[in-house]
Amino acid sequence: RAALLAARQRTLRLARAYQAALGPAACIPYAAEVNPPLWELGHLAWFQEWWIARNPQRALGARADPDAPRPAPLLAQADAWYDSSRVPHRSRWELPLPDGAGALGYLEATLSGSVALLDDLPDDAGDDALYFFRLCAMHEQMHAEAAVYMARTLGVPLEEDATPGTAGAPREIDLPAQRFRLGFGGSGFAFDNELGAHDADLQAFAIDAEPVTWGAYLPFVRAGGYEDLQWWSDAGRAWLSGLPRRGPAGWQAGAPDDAVAVHLTAHEADAWCRWAGRRLPTEAEWECAALQGPGFRWGQVWEWTASTFWPYPGFTAHPYRDYSQPWFGTRRVLRGASAATDPAMAHARYRNFFEPHRRDTLAGFRSVRADAEPARSVV
């Protein structure tokens, strides 16, 4: 209950900031990575109503049938407007959506229904009964974080500060060779792509205690790293060729050397590692270090790993099928959290995933000594 209410309060704060900066309709130009702000608000309301109030199998949790027939929504056209699985992305700018007051009213009505249903549950309600309430709280916080980094791109001033912190002097953490249990197991909430815990054989490795800072990254830039193609993968070279101006997007003049580097793509992280004689950690190495490494500090930025986003062994899609399955093989895994991530979502086994060319997100990286061999999964 507290998580649902906190997520909604944050959504409303962000909505006010967007409307103050962009006008009541908060209009923005089309971009492939974002959604119209008013569509976002309606989608949050629709998602919660679809999976909670309108879901006849919500008590079954992850075993619920996502295609079970549902009653009509509170807002007559909501399914036609806000279902992200069925409404083409480009069309969201042309839909006859409710205005700001209408979107806020829909948000208020759906939250009231969700909270009433939650309050009707017994005090000992288990993970199944709570699953969709937790999913909706997490989903709303994800969209809030997206609104934060989109605001940075658009120049919308916000109350909350998403600037990463600073890091201490460069230091490595040595982890021994071991068989590490990767993935989530146990009670509580987990996304489908975190399940399927399995063993990974790790060779001994040394990993940065903190993410790479601008003080460490900028020498690569000053040495001509963006012009010297030997450091870049084929995909990285293709990405470079489309840049209007080569260089890091997140750095600002006057940023202290110990500030954690942010708004970097996976291509930039890969290139820096090659230049520095290092490599990105696999997600198994990152998770192991986060759980076992003394002094391993994370949470300032999302951190690119070397791992492509693939399912764990025995993967079964949860009812929200479009969360993970459509993106396997096309995204790169990031681990950790950013300064804009809600604390409830910041845990060491959470798998974030983005296309490697994205630089609008609050992403940076840390590195591993290059002589360490990557992990091998053991099913």
Side-chain angles (χ1 to χ4, degrees):
R1 192 178 198 280
L4 283 169
L5 295 178
R8 182 53 47 81
Q9 290 166 3
R10 188 183 187 194
T11 294
L12 296 178
R13 286 196 304 272
L14 290 165
R16 288 193 294 269
Y18 270 77
Q19 290 179 324
L22 303 174
C27 294
I28 62 171
Y30 172 77
E33 295 84 7
V34 300
N35 285 305
L38 285 185
W39 185 92
E40 284 273 309
L41 295 180
H43 169 72
L44 291 173
W46 173 87
F47 187 94
Q48 193 172 113
E49 186 186 19
W50 176 266
W51 290 116
I52 297 178
R54 298 174 62 196
N55 183 2
Q57 296 190 9
R58 64 178 174 272
L60 298 179
R63 295 177 289 111
D65 177 4
D67 299 320
R70 284 165 164 77
L74 292 174
L75 192 62
Q77 297 299 314
D79 290 347
W81 289 337
Y82 300 122
D83 184 347
S84 57
S85 298
R86 295 178 173 85
V87 179
H89 184 261
R90 185 63 182 89
S91 72
R92 297 169 194 175
W93 271 258
E94 282 80 42
L95 293 171
L97 301 176
D99 60 14
L104 294 176
Y106 187 32
L107 279 166
E108 182 178 1
T110 53
L111 179 64
S112 295
S114 297
V115 170
L117 291 169
L118 181 61
D119 288 346
D120 284 342
L121 293 177
D123 291 342
D124 60 352
D127 288 336
D128 284 345
L130 296 173
Y131 176 87
F132 287 105
F133 297 96
R134 290 167 168 167
L135 173 66
C136 289
M138 298 285 192
H139 172 262
E140 189 154 344
Q141 288 289 6
M142 287 180 187
H143 279 263
E145 179 164 354
V148 170
Y149 61 71
M150 187 170 77
R152 292 168 71 95
T153 300
L154 296 172
V156 173
L158 300 178
E159 294 177 13
E160 60 180 278
D161 183 12
T163 304
T166 58
R171 182 173 62 86
E172 288 186 332
I173 298 171
D174 291 303
L175 278 298
Q178 59 184 286
R179 178 162 287 187
F180 175 71
R181 191 72 170 167
L182 177 69
F184 184 89
S187 61
F189 180 87
F191 289 100
D192 53 11
N193 65 68
E194 300 167 30
L195 300 174
H198 59 288
D199 291 332
D201 282 337
L202 302 180
Q203 300 299 317
F205 66 100
I207 187 169
D208 294 333
E210 301 190 57
V212 169
T213 62
W214 286 122
Y217 189 83
L218 289 177
F220 164 70
V221 181
R222 294 167 183 149
Y226 280 79
E227 286 71 40
D228 191 342
L229 298 183
Q230 68 173 311
W231 309 122
W232 299 81
S233 66
D234 289 344
R237 292 170 188 169
W239 174 77
L240 271 179
S241 69
L243 282 185
R245 182 178 63 84
R246 294 187 178 184
W251 182 77
Q252 296 181 342
D257 283 353
D258 61 353
V260 173
V262 67
H263 291 301
L264 295 171
T265 67
H267 303 311
E268 290 167 296
D270 283 332
W272 182 92
C273 285
R274 291 190 188 91
W275 172 82
R278 299 180 69 80
R279 64 172 175 83
L280 290 177
T282 65
E283 62 172 323
E285 289 171 331
W286 194 99
E287 186 173 310
C288 176
L291 293 171
Q292 298 183 11
F296 186 93
R297 184 167 173 245
W298 60 278
Q300 302 98 313
V301 289
W302 290 104
E303 300 179 28
W304 292 107
T305 72
S307 299
T308 300
F309 182 54
W310 286 112
Y312 286 165
F315 172 82
T316 300
H318 280 188
Y320 180 25
R321 293 170 178 156
D322 283 352
Y323 179 69
S324 301
Q325 198 163 31
W327 318 118
F328 290 141
T330 65
R331 303 295 193 266
R332 184 82 72 89
V333 174
L334 301 96
R335 290 304 194 99
S338 79
T341 305
D342 183 73
M345 298 193 64
H347 70 81
R349 298 195 189 274
Y350 178 74
R351 307 175 77 198
N352 201 353
F353 47 95
F354 277 105
E355 294 170 297
H357 66 264
R358 291 285 295 272
R359 63 180 353 185
D360 57 319
T361 60
L362 300 168
F365 67 100
R366 76 180 70 213
S367 67
V368 170
R369 198 181 302 162
D371 56 359
E373 291 293 328
R376 180 174 62 86
S377 293
V378 181
V379 179

Short mmCIF file of all heavy atoms in Angstrom, two decimals, residues 268-303:
data_model
loop_
_atom_site.label_atom_id
_atom_site.label_comp_id
_atom_site.label_asym_id
_atom_site.label_seq_id
_atom_site.Cartn_x
_atom_site.Cartn_y
_atom_site.Cartn_z
N GLU A 268 30.40 3.10 -25.86
CA GLU A 268 31.43 3.94 -25.25
C GLU A 268 32.12 3.19 -24.11
O GLU A 268 33.34 3.29 -23.94
CB GLU A 268 30.80 5.24 -24.76
CG GLU A 268 30.37 6.16 -25.89
CD GLU A 268 29.48 7.30 -25.44
OE1 GLU A 268 28.36 7.03 -24.94
OE2 GLU A 268 29.90 8.46 -25.56
N ALA A 269 31.33 2.48 -23.31
CA ALA A 269 31.92 1.70 -22.22
C ALA A 269 32.88 0.63 -22.76
O ALA A 269 33.99 0.45 -22.24
CB ALA A 269 30.81 1.05 -21.39
N ASP A 270 32.46 -0.06 -23.81
CA ASP A 270 33.32 -1.08 -24.42
C ASP A 270 34.61 -0.46 -24.95
O ASP A 270 35.70 -1.02 -24.76
CB ASP A 270 32.58 -1.76 -25.59
CG ASP A 270 31.56 -2.78 -25.13
OD1 ASP A 270 31.73 -3.36 -24.05
OD2 ASP A 270 30.58 -3.00 -25.87
N ALA A 271 34.50 0.67 -25.63
CA ALA A 271 35.68 1.30 -26.24
C ALA A 271 36.66 1.76 -25.16
O ALA A 271 37.87 1.58 -25.29
CB ALA A 271 35.25 2.48 -27.11
N TRP A 272 36.14 2.38 -24.11
CA TRP A 272 37.04 2.81 -23.03
C TRP A 272 37.77 1.62 -22.44
O TRP A 272 38.98 1.71 -22.16
CB TRP A 272 36.24 3.53 -21.93
CG TRP A 272 37.12 4.04 -20.82
CD1 TRP A 272 37.70 5.28 -20.72
CD2 TRP A 272 37.55 3.31 -19.65
NE1 TRP A 272 38.45 5.38 -19.58
CE2 TRP A 272 38.37 4.18 -18.90
CE3 TRP A 272 37.31 2.03 -19.18
CZ2 TRP A 272 38.96 3.79 -17.70
CZ3 TRP A 272 37.90 1.63 -17.98
CH2 TRP A 272 38.71 2.50 -17.26
N CYS A 273 37.06 0.52 -22.23
CA CYS A 273 37.69 -0.66 -21.64
C CYS A 273 38.82 -1.18 -22.52
O CYS A 273 39.90 -1.53 -22.03
CB CYS A 273 36.66 -1.76 -21.40
SG CYS A 273 35.55 -1.46 -20.00
N ARG A 274 38.61 -1.22 -23.82
CA ARG A 274 39.68 -1.68 -24.72
C ARG A 274 40.88 -0.73 -24.64
O ARG A 274 42.03 -1.16 -24.61
CB ARG A 274 39.16 -1.77 -26.16
CG ARG A 274 38.16 -2.88 -26.40
CD ARG A 274 37.88 -3.06 -27.89
NE ARG A 274 36.77 -3.99 -28.09
CZ ARG A 274 35.51 -3.63 -28.18
NH1 ARG A 274 35.18 -2.34 -28.12
NH2 ARG A 274 34.56 -4.52 -28.34
N TRP A 275 40.61 0.55 -24.64
CA TRP A 275 41.68 1.56 -24.56
C TRP A 275 42.46 1.41 -23.24
O TRP A 275 43.69 1.54 -23.22
CB TRP A 275 41.05 2.94 -24.67
CG TRP A 275 41.99 4.08 -24.42
CD1 TRP A 275 42.88 4.63 -25.31
CD2 TRP A 275 42.12 4.81 -23.19
NE1 TRP A 275 43.56 5.66 -24.71
CE2 TRP A 275 43.12 5.80 -23.41
CE3 TRP A 275 41.51 4.74 -21.94
CZ2 TRP A 275 43.50 6.70 -22.42
CZ3 TRP A 275 41.88 5.63 -20.95
CH2 TRP A 275 42.88 6.60 -21.19
N ALA A 276 41.75 1.12 -22.17
CA ALA A 276 42.38 1.01 -20.85
C ALA A 276 42.95 -0.37 -20.58
O ALA A 276 43.52 -0.59 -19.49
CB ALA A 276 41.36 1.38 -19.77
N GLY A 277 42.80 -1.31 -21.52
CA GLY A 277 43.28 -2.66 -21.29
C GLY A 277 42.45 -3.42 -20.28
O GLY A 277 42.96 -4.27 -19.54
N ARG A 278 41.15 -3.14 -20.27
CA ARG A 278 40.24 -3.80 -19.33
C ARG A 278 39.04 -4.33 -20.11
O ARG A 278 39.03 -4.33 -21.34
CB ARG A 278 39.84 -2.83 -18.21
CG ARG A 278 41.05 -2.34 -17.40
CD ARG A 278 40.65 -1.38 -16.30
NE ARG A 278 39.91 -2.04 -15.23
CZ ARG A 278 40.46 -2.74 -14.25
NH1 ARG A 278 41.77 -2.95 -14.21
NH2 ARG A 278 39.72 -3.26 -13.29
N ARG A 279 38.01 -4.77 -19.41
CA ARG A 279 36.79 -5.23 -20.07
C ARG A 279 35.62 -4.99 -19.13
O ARG A 279 35.80 -4.73 -17.92
CB ARG A 279 36.88 -6.72 -20.41
CG ARG A 279 36.97 -7.66 -19.22
CD ARG A 279 36.86 -9.11 -19.65
NE ARG A 279 37.07 -10.04 -18.55
CZ ARG A 279 36.14 -10.40 -17.67
NH1 ARG A 279 34.92 -9.89 -17.74
NH2 ARG A 279 36.42 -11.27 -16.71
N LEU A 280 34.40 -5.05 -19.69
CA LEU A 280 33.20 -4.95 -18.86
C LEU A 280 32.98 -6.26 -18.12
O LEU A 280 33.30 -7.34 -18.64
CB LEU A 280 31.98 -4.65 -19.73
CG LEU A 280 31.90 -3.25 -20.35
CD1 LEU A 280 30.67 -3.15 -21.24
CD2 LEU A 280 31.87 -2.18 -19.27
N PRO A 281 32.42 -6.21 -16.93
CA PRO A 281 32.08 -7.45 -16.23
C PRO A 281 30.89 -8.14 -16.88
O PRO A 281 30.03 -7.48 -17.48
CB PRO A 281 31.74 -6.98 -14.82
CG PRO A 281 31.22 -5.58 -15.02
CD PRO A 281 32.03 -5.01 -16.16
N THR A 282 30.83 -9.45 -16.76
CA THR A 282 29.59 -10.14 -17.09
C THR A 282 28.58 -9.85 -15.98
O THR A 282 28.94 -9.39 -14.89
CB THR A 282 29.80 -11.65 -17.18
OG1 THR A 282 30.17 -12.14 -15.88
CG2 THR A 282 30.89 -11.99 -18.19
N GLU A 283 27.31 -10.14 -16.25
CA GLU A 283 26.33 -9.87 -15.19
C GLU A 283 26.53 -10.81 -14.01
O GLU A 283 26.25 -10.45 -12.86
CB GLU A 283 24.91 -9.91 -15.70
CG GLU A 283 24.41 -11.21 -16.28
CD GLU A 283 22.91 -11.14 -16.57
OE1 GLU A 283 22.16 -10.53 -15.79
OE2 GLU A 283 22.49 -11.72 -17.59
N ALA A 284 27.06 -12.01 -14.25
CA ALA A 284 27.34 -12.92 -13.14
C ALA A 284 28.45 -12.37 -12.26
O ALA A 284 28.38 -12.43 -11.02
CB ALA A 284 27.71 -14.30 -13.66
N GLU A 285 29.50 -11.82 -12.87
CA GLU A 285 30.58 -11.21 -12.09
C GLU A 285 30.07 -10.01 -11.31
O GLU A 285 30.42 -9.83 -10.13
CB GLU A 285 31.72 -10.81 -13.02
CG GLU A 285 32.49 -12.00 -13.59
CD GLU A 285 33.46 -11.59 -14.67
OE1 GLU A 285 33.21 -10.58 -15.38
OE2 GLU A 285 34.48 -12.28 -14.83
N TRP A 286 29.26 -9.19 -11.96
CA TRP A 286 28.73 -8.00 -11.27
C TRP A 286 27.90 -8.42 -10.06
O TRP A 286 28.07 -7.87 -8.97
CB TRP A 286 27.88 -7.17 -12.24
CG TRP A 286 27.59 -5.80 -11.72
CD1 TRP A 286 28.22 -4.64 -12.05
CD2 TRP A 286 26.59 -5.44 -10.74
NE1 TRP A 286 27.69 -3.58 -11.35
CE2 TRP A 286 26.69 -4.05 -10.53
CE3 TRP A 286 25.65 -6.15 -10.02
CZ2 TRP A 286 25.86 -3.36 -9.64
CZ3 TRP A 286 24.82 -5.48 -9.13
CH2 TRP A 286 24.93 -4.10 -8.95
N GLU A 287 27.01 -9.37 -10.25
CA GLU A 287 26.13 -9.80 -9.16
C GLU A 287 26.93 -10.41 -8.02
O GLU A 287 26.66 -10.15 -6.84
CB GLU A 287 25.10 -10.79 -9.70
CG GLU A 287 24.03 -11.19 -8.69
CD GLU A 287 22.94 -12.04 -9.32
OE1 GLU A 287 22.41 -11.64 -10.38
OE2 GLU A 287 22.63 -13.10 -8.75
N CYS A 288 27.91 -11.23 -8.37
CA CYS A 288 28.76 -11.84 -7.35
C CYS A 288 29.49 -10.76 -6.55
O CYS A 288 29.53 -10.81 -5.32
CB CYS A 288 29.75 -12.79 -8.01
SG CYS A 288 30.95 -13.54 -6.88
N ALA A 289 30.06 -9.79 -7.25
CA ALA A 289 30.81 -8.73 -6.55
C ALA A 289 29.89 -7.89 -5.68
O ALA A 289 30.25 -7.49 -4.56
CB ALA A 289 31.53 -7.86 -7.57
N ALA A 290 28.68 -7.60 -6.17
CA ALA A 290 27.74 -6.80 -5.39
C ALA A 290 27.32 -7.50 -4.11
O ALA A 290 27.09 -6.86 -3.08
CB ALA A 290 26.52 -6.46 -6.23
N LEU A 291 27.22 -8.82 -4.16
CA LEU A 291 26.77 -9.58 -2.99
C LEU A 291 27.92 -10.00 -2.08
O LEU A 291 27.72 -10.22 -0.88
CB LEU A 291 25.99 -10.82 -3.44
CG LEU A 291 24.65 -10.54 -4.12
CD1 LEU A 291 24.08 -11.81 -4.72
CD2 LEU A 291 23.67 -9.92 -3.14
N GLN A 292 29.12 -10.12 -2.61
CA GLN A 292 30.23 -10.65 -1.83
C GLN A 292 31.42 -9.71 -1.69
O GLN A 292 32.25 -9.92 -0.80
CB GLN A 292 30.74 -11.96 -2.48
CG GLN A 292 29.72 -13.07 -2.53
CD GLN A 292 30.30 -14.34 -3.12
OE1 GLN A 292 31.51 -14.48 -3.29
NE2 GLN A 292 29.44 -15.30 -3.43
N GLY A 293 31.54 -8.72 -2.56
CA GLY A 293 32.74 -7.89 -2.57
C GLY A 293 32.74 -6.84 -1.47
O GLY A 293 31.86 -5.98 -1.44
N PRO A 294 33.72 -6.89 -0.57
CA PRO A 294 33.79 -5.86 0.48
C PRO A 294 34.11 -4.50 -0.12
O PRO A 294 35.05 -4.34 -0.88
CB PRO A 294 34.95 -6.37 1.36
CG PRO A 294 35.77 -7.25 0.48
CD PRO A 294 34.81 -7.87 -0.48
N GLY A 295 33.26 -3.53 0.18
CA GLY A 295 33.47 -2.18 -0.33
C GLY A 295 32.96 -1.96 -1.74
O GLY A 295 33.25 -0.92 -2.34
N PHE A 296 32.20 -2.91 -2.28
CA PHE A 296 31.62 -2.74 -3.61
C PHE A 296 30.48 -1.73 -3.50
O PHE A 296 29.46 -1.99 -2.86
CB PHE A 296 31.12 -4.08 -4.14
CG PHE A 296 30.63 -4.06 -5.56
CD1 PHE A 296 31.49 -4.37 -6.59
CD2 PHE A 296 29.31 -3.74 -5.86
CE1 PHE A 296 31.04 -4.37 -7.93
CE2 PHE A 296 28.86 -3.73 -7.18
CZ PHE A 296 29.73 -4.04 -8.21
N ARG A 297 30.63 -0.58 -4.14
CA ARG A 297 29.66 0.51 -4.01
C ARG A 297 28.88 0.65 -5.31
O ARG A 297 29.48 0.78 -6.37
CB ARG A 297 30.38 1.81 -3.68
CG ARG A 297 29.45 2.99 -3.43
CD ARG A 297 30.20 4.16 -2.81
NE ARG A 297 29.35 5.33 -2.72
CZ ARG A 297 29.56 6.46 -3.38
NH1 ARG A 297 30.61 6.58 -4.17
NH2 ARG A 297 28.75 7.49 -3.25
N TRP A 298 27.56 0.61 -5.21
CA TRP A 298 26.73 0.73 -6.40
C TRP A 298 25.48 1.53 -6.07
O TRP A 298 25.17 1.77 -4.92
CB TRP A 298 26.37 -0.64 -6.97
CG TRP A 298 25.60 -1.55 -6.03
CD1 TRP A 298 26.12 -2.34 -5.04
CD2 TRP A 298 24.19 -1.76 -6.01
NE1 TRP A 298 25.12 -3.03 -4.40
CE2 TRP A 298 23.92 -2.70 -4.99
CE3 TRP A 298 23.13 -1.27 -6.76
CZ2 TRP A 298 22.62 -3.14 -4.69
CZ3 TRP A 298 21.84 -1.71 -6.47
CH2 TRP A 298 21.61 -2.63 -5.45
N GLY A 299 24.77 1.96 -7.12
CA GLY A 299 23.55 2.73 -6.94
C GLY A 299 23.64 4.15 -7.46
O GLY A 299 22.66 4.89 -7.43
N GLN A 300 24.82 4.55 -7.96
CA GLN A 300 24.96 5.90 -8.50
C GLN A 300 24.44 5.98 -9.93
O GLN A 300 23.83 6.98 -10.33
CB GLN A 300 26.44 6.34 -8.48
CG GLN A 300 27.07 6.31 -7.09
CD GLN A 300 27.86 5.03 -6.87
OE1 GLN A 300 27.38 3.94 -7.16
NE2 GLN A 300 29.06 5.15 -6.35
N VAL A 301 24.73 4.96 -10.73
CA VAL A 301 24.28 4.88 -12.13
C VAL A 301 23.97 3.43 -12.44
O VAL A 301 24.50 2.51 -11.81
CB VAL A 301 25.36 5.39 -13.13
CG1 VAL A 301 25.53 6.89 -13.05
CG2 VAL A 301 26.69 4.67 -12.91
N TRP A 302 23.12 3.21 -13.45
CA TRP A 302 23.01 1.88 -14.02
C TRP A 302 24.33 1.54 -14.69
O TRP A 302 24.97 2.41 -15.28
CB TRP A 302 21.87 1.81 -15.03
CG TRP A 302 20.53 1.91 -14.39
CD1 TRP A 302 19.70 3.00 -14.36
CD2 TRP A 302 19.86 0.88 -13.65
NE1 TRP A 302 18.56 2.71 -13.66
CE2 TRP A 302 18.63 1.41 -13.21
CE3 TRP A 302 20.19 -0.43 -13.32
CZ2 TRP A 302 17.72 0.68 -12.46
CZ3 TRP A 302 19.29 -1.17 -12.58
CH2 TRP A 302 18.07 -0.61 -12.15
N GLU A 303 24.72 0.27 -14.62
CA GLU A 303 26.04 -0.10 -15.12
C GLU A 303 25.94 -1.14 -16.23
O GLU A 303 25.39 -2.23 -16.03
CB GLU A 303 26.88 -0.64 -13.96
CG GLU A 303 27.06 0.39 -12.84
CD GLU A 303 27.88 -0.15 -11.68
OE1 GLU A 303 28.72 -1.04 -11.92
OE2 GLU A 303 27.68 0.31 -10.54
#
